[in-house]
Structure formats: structure tokens, C-alpha cells
Amino acid sequence: MAESHHAFSRSDMLPPQPPPASEVGVIGWLRANLFSSIGNSILTVLALIAIWWVLSHIWPWFAHAIWNAESYRQCREIVAETWGPEAGGACLAVIRERWKQFLFGFYPSDLYWRPTLAFILMFVALAPILFSQLPRKMLWFSLIYPGLAYWLLWGGSIFVPIVIYAGFAAAYYGFVLGARASASFVAPLLAAVFALVWWFVISGPLINILPNIGIQSVQSKQFGGFMLSVTIGVTGIAFSLPLGVLLALGRRSDLLFVKAICVGFIEFIRGVPLIALLLVASFLLNIFLPPGTNFDIILRVIIMVTLFSAAYMAEVIRGGLAALPRGQYEAADALGLDYWQGTRLIVMPQALKISIPGIVNTFIGLFKDTTLVSIIGLLDPIGLITSIRANAAWNGMVWELYGFVAVLFFVCCFGMSKYSQYLERKLRTDRR
């Protein structure tokens, strides 16, 4: 029996063998993701059939695309002469002719360099915020950029954005003074009072006495196209996040007055459609302003879009705060941190990490909602489509125009979605 035992025992280890070819590479991926079971295999085959059917009908439309034509009728004639009377094809000549208008609206053509430069600098300003590996000194440019972008787009005196920034300095000074008080609500209240007094009382007369040094002014009615959507969307995103954080903290506050104001604001904004707020900003707001007041229409839209998005952002962030264990708040107290220090250093970073999917979803929704400004007469890409189709040369076009706008928005929204996934992977703390 001993000899039989040794006959089936090895005295040395087998060398490592490569994995089966069916488990690695393209074949392995297909088996794991598309053909892992009979049901998945059937669904994969049905999906491939559906994709083939869609592409077989759409591809000829792109393959027969016409880029050089002076009208929609001429496009149809060229397609019929080249591929037959029953053939169909995209008339992309309208995109070739009007792409500058889609991007810049009615902005003066000799000043295209200004919105182009502002768009490029936007990525430079966002880089240190989105990617922590970059030098922190670049954040100074991120703070300067909003005023610089405003000056590049609208032009005028260079002192206008400087005076606006001085209002934030006044708010910071008020916050520092209020922080010395025992009550936690004094600091933000005093900061708001200092900023409002500076912007609405001091800044106007101050700008009038400063020298007019700047660049050519551009009226808001000349804005349009994708530039208008980016201006409203990026500004709304940049300001709705901090405002949403403050509203979320205010809604969870123990101070009855602060909590009541925040709850009332959030519930009112969430109960009213955005289009109603835009109509108020466009037609009704001037009724309540002093006679002769010139309140820029784009500024009014930005304010309404920001307030609308901030209300939804507040609820997203409140969910992150509610999901945070109570021990984190107690840890901040145990370390001897006051309310604002504990919120900034311990509570809010964790709550924002939890809320990343909801925050990005709100950002994407806000950016897409910028197309609603066409209802109040602003010529965003959707508004420009109506204007272009009113031209007799391009009357009757639908798919080419709306498809081009859809591609522009898809690229931006998909980029935001992919960045949020990257940020979630980077901030994961449960990885082994």
C-alpha cells in the first residue's frame, strides 16, 4: 500500500502554465461580458441585429452627405443626380455655411478671438480644480478667471470686474469680523451685508469716477449660439455649487430663522418650472426695478438658472450630509474645531464625495436646460435653428441642424460624466 501511495504523489512542482486562450484577450472578454450564459448570448445576438438594422438605414444618409451647396433644394438635386431619385442624404452644407453662427451667434466676427481665448483659458482655470496633481498656485488664476472672462466677452472698462471682485473682499472682511462673535450665524450674515452694500451702493458711483480703460464693448443681444450656452451653463455651475452648499447647511441648521428661509427658498424653487422663472426674469423683473434701470438680460437669466440649480444642489448635498455617520460630527467637536472649521475640514469633504453622482447629474441637467432661453428670445443653438430654418434657402431642414446641436451637447455632457467617474474612482476609500 505504501508503494501505491508513492505512485500517485509528485516529488516536484509543475511549472506555471499560461491561462487558456479562451479565458484571456478578446475571446476572454467576449465570453465574460457578452456570452457568459445562454440568456446573455441571445440578448447579445439580438442587440447586434438591432444595431446592424439601425446602421444599415442611417449609414446611407451619412454616406450621401452633401457639404457644398447653397440651399436645401440644391442638396436634394445633387443627391438625386448622384445616387438616384430615391436616395437620401444629409445636407451638411448648412453646417459648413453656418458653423460660426452656431458657435458665436451674432458676435462681431473681428472679435472672435475674445470668446475663443476665454474658452481656452476656461480649461486652464478648471485644471487645478479638477486635477489635484497640478500646482496649487494655479488656483489664483482660477479665482481671477471669472472676472477676466466677463471682461473678454462683454468688454468695456477693466475696472468693472475689479470693482466686482472688491465686493468679495468686503464680504471676506465682514466674515472675519463676524467670526469673532460667539454666534455662528453672525459671520455669513455680516459678509452678505458688506458685499451687498459694496455692490449696490458703492460700486456704481465708484465705476463712474474711474477712467474708462478697456476694450470694445459688445452688447448682450449679440451673444448667441453655443457660446451663450457655455456662458450661462458654466457660470450657473460655478455659482450654484457653493450656494447649494450654504442652502444645505442652512436647511440642517438649528437656527429656526435660517432654517425657515432655506426651506422656503428650496421648496419654492423646486415647485416652479425653470421656464416660469426665465419668463419672470425676462418680462416681469423690470417692473419691480427703478425706472431707467438697465438690468442685462443674460445676467438675469444667469441669476435665475443659478438659483434654480442651487435649490436642487442643496437637496443633493443634504443627502450626502445625512448619509455621513454621526461620529464624524462628534469627531470634529472632539478635536476642538468650531462649526465652520469642522464643516470645512471634516464634514463637507466627505459629504461632497458621497454626493458626486448627484452633483454631476445636476450639472448636466443645468447645462442642457440652457436651451430653454430660446423661449425668451435669446438665440442659443436651438434658437438659431429656428432662425436658420426661417431662411428660404434652408427651409425644411430638421435632422441636420438638430443633430449638430445634439452632438455639441453630447460631447460636453459625456465629458462631465466621464470626469465624475474618474473622480469617484480616485476618491474611493474601500479599495483593497
Side-chain angles (χ1 to χ4, degrees):
M1 291 182 64
E3 292 179 358
S4 175
H5 172 74
H6 287 292
F8 292 94
S9 300
R10 298 192 60 87
S11 59
D12 55 347
M13 296 295 293
L14 287 173
Q17 300 293 324
S22 60
E23 299 295 331
V24 295
V26 176
I27 297 177
W29 184 89
L30 292 174
R31 289 191 61 183
N33 295 277
L34 301 181
F35 301 98
S36 58
S37 65
I38 296 177
N40 285 346
S41 300
I42 295 174
L43 291 176
T44 299
V45 172
L46 293 177
L48 290 175
I49 294 173
I51 293 173
W52 176 84
W53 183 85
V54 171
L55 292 179
S56 65
H57 287 75
I58 293 179
W59 173 248
W61 191 72
F62 285 104
H64 301 164
I66 304 300
W67 289 93
N68 295 295
E70 296 181 357
S71 66
Y72 183 55
R73 180 179 179 181
Q74 187 177 3
C75 281
R76 301 276 67 82
E77 292 174 353
I78 295 174
V79 171
E81 292 175 0
T82 308
W83 292 283
E86 300 299 326
C91 185
L92 299 181
V94 64
I95 306 300
R96 182 175 179 271
E97 180 179 323
R98 299 295 186 98
W99 69 270
K100 290 183 180 179
Q101 191 175 14
F102 267 115
L103 294 182
F104 300 104
F106 300 98
Y107 207 85
S109 58
D110 58 325
L111 300 179
Y112 281 169
W113 65 271
R114 282 164 47 176
T116 303
L117 179 60
F119 184 73
I120 295 173
L121 293 178
M122 180 184 71
F123 292 100
V124 179
L126 289 175
I129 299 174
L130 301 180
F131 304 100
S132 59
Q133 301 89 339
L134 296 176
R136 296 292 89 189
K137 292 182 179 180
M138 292 181 63
L139 288 172
W140 285 107
F141 181 75
S142 302
L143 295 174
I144 296 172
Y145 173 76
L148 178 61
Y150 170 84
W151 183 63
L152 285 173
L153 294 175
W154 275 272
S157 174
I158 186 62
F159 292 106
V160 172
I162 293 176
V163 170
I164 293 175
Y165 272 108
F168 291 103
Y172 176 76
Y173 180 70
F175 186 88
V176 172
L177 291 179
R180 299 174 182 175
S182 57
S184 60
F185 69 91
V186 175
L189 182 62
L190 203 58
V193 170
F194 274 47
L196 293 175
V197 170
W198 177 270
W199 286 327
F200 292 98
V201 178
I202 301 176
S203 63
L206 181 60
I207 291 175
N208 291 331
I209 63 176
L210 291 173
N212 187 13
I213 302 174
I215 55 180
Q216 178 182 342
S217 297
V218 178
Q219 300 297 320
S220 292
K221 62 183 180 181
Q222 297 175 281
F223 281 52
F226 199 62
M227 181 188 71
L228 178 62
S229 296
V230 171
T231 301
I232 297 175
V234 172
T235 307
I237 288 171
F239 287 101
S240 65
L241 180 58
L243 184 57
V245 170
L246 293 177
L247 288 172
L249 294 175
R251 183 158 189 167
R252 292 174 57 87
S253 174
D254 295 330
L255 300 172
L256 182 60
F257 179 71
V258 174
K259 184 175 183 178
I261 291 178
C262 293
V263 170
F265 174 83
I266 292 172
E267 296 303 329
F268 172 77
I269 295 295
R270 293 175 66 207
V272 177
L274 178 58
I275 187 61
L277 297 178
L278 293 178
L279 291 173
V280 169
S282 177
F283 302 114
L284 300 180
L285 193 58
N286 282 336
I287 298 176
F288 302 98
L289 296 175
T293 302
N294 184 19
F295 200 175
D296 188 89
I297 179 62
I298 295 181
L299 180 59
R300 282 181 270 165
V301 169
I302 288 175
I303 291 174
M304 287 300 181
V305 169
T306 301
L307 295 178
F308 182 83
S309 179
Y312 285 87
M313 189 71 65
E315 291 300 280
V316 171
I317 295 173
R318 186 168 70 94
L321 292 170
L324 206 61
R326 182 64 188 172
Q328 298 298 316
Y329 298 90
E330 296 172 351
D333 296 335
L335 291 173
L337 303 177
D338 61 25
Y339 175 80
W340 294 108
Q341 290 174 333
T343 300
R344 179 172 61 89
L345 299 175
I346 296 179
V347 175
M348 194 52 63
Q350 299 181 75
L352 291 177
K353 186 187 75 169
I354 297 172
S355 306
I356 285 175
I359 291 174
V360 175
N361 183 62
T362 304
F363 285 167
I364 292 175
L366 183 153
F367 187 68
K368 292 189 295 184
D369 284 343
T370 58
T371 56
L372 293 175
V373 299
S374 61
I375 303 296
I376 59 175
L378 293 178
L379 295 180
D380 72 315
I382 301 297
L384 283 174
I385 289 177
T386 304
S387 175
I388 293 172
R389 295 183 67 217
N391 189 322
W394 306 110
N395 190 16
M397 300 196 65
V398 178
W399 293 105
E400 294 88 345
L401 296 172
Y402 285 104
F404 180 69
V405 173
V407 169
L408 290 178
F409 276 91
F410 173 79
V411 170
C412 295
C413 296
F414 184 73
M416 285 190 280
S417 177
K418 296 303 292 184
Y419 174 77
S420 72
Q421 295 176 20
Y422 155 79
L423 195 60
E424 287 183 71
R425 291 193 301 269
K426 180 181 176 181
L427 298 179
R428 282 185 59 187
T429 57
D430 58 345
R431 289 177 293 186
R432 295 291 185 263

